[in-house]
C-alpha cells in the first residue's frame, strides 16, 4: 500500500482485471477497479491490464470500459495480456 501521494510518483503501479464468467459487465469492471485502487491505496493506476479476455464478450467491450476509466482519471494506460496478435490488433 502506498502511504503518500509523493511515493506513488516513484513507482509504476500496475494491476489486472480478469474477466471471469461473473465479471462480464461494466459495473463489475468498475467494482473490480475500485477494489484495486482501495487495496493499493492509490487514486489512479498507471497500467491496468485486461488479463486473458474470455469469450463470448468481445475485447472491444473491455477496452471501452477501460477507456471510460481512463477518461475519469482512474487509470493512465491500458494493457492486455495473454492475447494473440489478432486480438491485440483489435484492442
Amino acid at each position: 500500500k502506498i502511504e503518500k501521494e509523493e511515493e506513488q510518483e516513484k513507482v509504476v503501479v500496475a494491476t489486472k482485471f480478469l474477466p471471469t464468467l461473473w465479471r462480464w459487465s461494466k459495473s463489475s469492471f468498475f467494482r473490480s477497479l475500485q477494489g484495486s485502487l482501495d487495496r493499493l491505496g492509490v487514486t489512479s493506476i498507471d497500467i491496468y491490464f485486461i488479463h486473458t479476455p474470455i469469450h463470448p464478450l468481445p475485447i472491444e467491450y473491455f477496452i471501452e470500459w477501460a477507456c471510460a476509466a481512463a477518461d475519469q482519471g482512474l487509470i493512465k494506460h491500458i494493457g492486455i495480456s495473454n492475447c494473440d496478435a489478432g486480438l491485440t490488433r483489435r484492442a
Side-chain angles (χ1 to χ4, degrees):
K1 184 173 181 177
I2 297 176
E3 298 297 327
K4 298 179 182 174
E5 196 157 325
E6 307 87 57
E7 292 175 344
Q8 184 175 349
E9 294 177 13
K10 297 177 185 176
V11 298
V12 174
V13 177
T15 190
K16 64 186 174 187
F17 171 75
L18 179 60
T20 56
L21 292 174
W22 57 90
R23 296 167 89 184
W24 283 355
S25 69
K26 186 175 182 179
S27 63
S28 64
F29 177 89
F30 276 91
R31 246 189 333 273
S32 177
L33 174 57
Q34 189 60 56
S36 292
L37 291 166
D38 294 343
R39 283 188 300 279
L40 292 166
V42 297
T43 56
S44 68
I45 293 171
D46 295 309
I47 307 170
Y48 197 56
F49 287 94
I50 301 165
H51 181 67
T52 314
I54 300 171
H55 301 284
L57 201 57
I59 185 71
E60 290 83 358
Y61 283 91
F62 300 110
I63 297 298
E64 179 184 320
W65 302 337
C67 287
D71 289 344
Q72 295 175 32
L74 301 174
I75 60 176
K76 296 177 184 170
H77 303 280
I78 302 163
I80 58 172
S81 61
N82 294 353
C83 300
D84 62 25
L87 191 57
T88 301
R89 280 191 289 279
R90 283 180 40 208

